[in-house]
Amino acid sequence: MMPSQHSTSRPSAGRSSLTGWLYVSPLVCVLVPFFLAPILVVLAASFFGTDGFGGLTPDLTLTNYVEVLHSALTFKLYLATIKFTVLTWVFTLLIGFFVAYFLVFHVRNQLLAIGLFLLCTVPFWTSNIIRMISWIPLLGKEGLINAALLSTGVIRQPLEVLLFSDLAVVIAYVHQLTIFMIVPIFNAMARIDKRLIEAAIDAGASRFDIMRLIVVPMSKSGIALGSIFVVSIVMGDFFVVKVMSGGGSASVVSAFYEDVGVLQYPTAAASAVLLTLVLIAVVTLILRTVDIRQEIGR
């Protein structure tokens, strides 16, 4: 008697499922101990009490969250973090979009476009700290920018707002994170069929209409991915704010960094959990504007 098709397909489906799990097992082995487990530890610590000397007491409580949410400082820090995030996102998006647009649509030689694209990445081969500190000789009171403005008579005294200010923080962030916008937007734009642009021009469409109706909608996946990179990095950073503001500004991360420094681990854990939830909400909002899997799979 010949076996039925249903009975022969079941073992095949089982082997396929097992093969799929084998493929993802290395990723699971990395994510569980180095990503999921630390998050669970932080989440558990956020509900613990403290003995004031760095020790944790397993008496479950919501006091840490109440303390963080009822603090006026938390509100101010979130406002500062959102301000830095929005300004950095706007400038990196503008620069990244138009750099990618130039490389894709105005550089006719594809080899030259790739070469210029790689040239954009050269400054980012160095450490973030080095690139950040390199702005201090430029923005300082006796830096190159103030010296040039003074020598040309544009200003009569050095501009103190250039360094150790919110402006310096945004400049450093934009310098460090623009590449995270250029790369995904460049990849998205490179998939646009040039014949579609030529057809729109032949039909009488203006450059603005082509940008608004073709380039921007078809680059949404790159814009979304770049936005996720920039937003998550800025909201999770405190070192740039601390150095470039001269201690005059702070962020949410710097707050629970200080809590860790004084051994207030439960409060720091609660702040970290709240920031993670806020970041997840922001990323979810970004992903609602575009189906990343569908856009990438085109």
Side-chain angles (χ1 to χ4, degrees):
M1 180 180 297
M2 296 295 293
S4 65
Q5 184 178 359
H6 179 72
S7 62
T8 57
S9 63
R10 184 175 299 174
S12 177
R15 286 194 298 269
S16 177
S17 177
L18 179 61
T19 303
W21 279 107
L22 290 177
Y23 283 149
V24 301
S25 59
L27 180 61
V28 172
C29 292
V30 172
L31 289 181
V32 170
F34 298 108
F35 180 75
L36 182 60
I39 289 180
L40 294 178
V41 170
V42 172
L43 180 62
S46 68
F47 294 100
F48 282 13
T50 178
D51 58 8
F53 300 97
L56 300 179
T57 57
D59 46 346
L60 299 182
T61 177
L62 294 176
T63 304
N64 302 314
Y65 289 96
V66 173
E67 181 179 345
V68 172
L69 292 174
H70 282 75
S71 173
L73 179 61
T74 300
F75 180 73
K76 293 179 180 179
L77 292 176
Y78 269 100
L79 283 181
T81 301
I82 292 173
K83 176 183 67 176
F84 292 136
T85 301
V86 171
L87 290 175
T88 303
W89 174 76
V90 169
F91 287 116
T92 54
L93 177 59
L94 291 175
I95 297 173
F97 184 88
F98 285 107
V99 168
Y101 181 81
F102 172 79
L103 293 177
V104 173
F105 294 105
H106 289 277
V107 180
R108 298 301 180 183
N109 189 321
Q110 186 176 7
L111 185 61
L112 178 60
I114 295 176
L116 293 175
F117 172 74
L118 294 177
L119 185 63
C120 292
T121 66
V122 170
F124 300 91
W125 294 355
T126 60
S127 168
N128 288 343
I129 298 176
I130 295 176
R131 285 187 282 116
M132 178 185 62
I133 296 177
S134 66
W135 281 102
I136 296 178
L138 293 174
L139 303 177
K141 292 180 63 176
E142 299 179 358
L144 296 179
I145 295 178
N146 271 320
L149 294 176
L150 287 170
S151 62
T152 56
V154 177
I155 58 175
R156 295 185 177 181
Q157 57 182 5
L159 297 175
E160 297 183 359
V161 72
L162 295 180
L163 186 61
F164 300 140
S165 63
D166 291 349
L167 175 62
V169 174
V170 174
I171 290 175
Y173 273 137
V174 171
H175 180 207
Q176 291 189 10
L177 302 179
T178 298
I179 191 65
F180 291 96
M181 276 291 188
I182 295 176
V183 173
I185 295 177
F186 177 85
N187 291 333
M189 286 186 180
R191 296 197 302 269
I192 300 176
D193 193 343
K194 305 301 187 298
R195 292 173 297 181
L196 183 61
I197 306 297
E198 295 173 358
I201 294 175
D202 294 338
S206 65
R207 292 287 182 181
F208 178 75
D209 289 334
I210 293 174
M211 180 77 72
R212 178 173 59 91
L213 300 175
I214 299 177
V215 177
V216 172
M218 299 187 72
S219 303
K220 288 193 301 182
S221 61
I223 295 173
L225 288 174
S227 299
I228 291 173
F229 288 140
V230 171
V231 168
S232 59
I233 292 174
V234 174
M235 294 191 71
D237 176 77
F238 79 97
F239 188 71
V240 173
V241 177
K242 181 178 180 180
V243 174
M244 298 305 292
S245 70
S249 298
S251 65
V252 177
V253 180
S254 62
F256 57 77
Y257 177 80
E258 295 295 331
D259 287 336
V260 171
V262 295
L263 306 181
Q264 297 298 318
Y265 299 125
T267 306
S271 299
V273 171
L274 291 175
L275 179 61
T276 302
L277 294 176
V278 171
L279 187 56
I280 290 174
V282 173
V283 172
T284 302
L285 183 63
I286 294 174
L287 292 177
R288 287 180 64 88
T289 63
V290 59
D291 188 340
I292 294 294
R293 290 178 295 181
Q294 180 179 357
E295 293 289 335
I296 293 178
R298 285 188 307 171

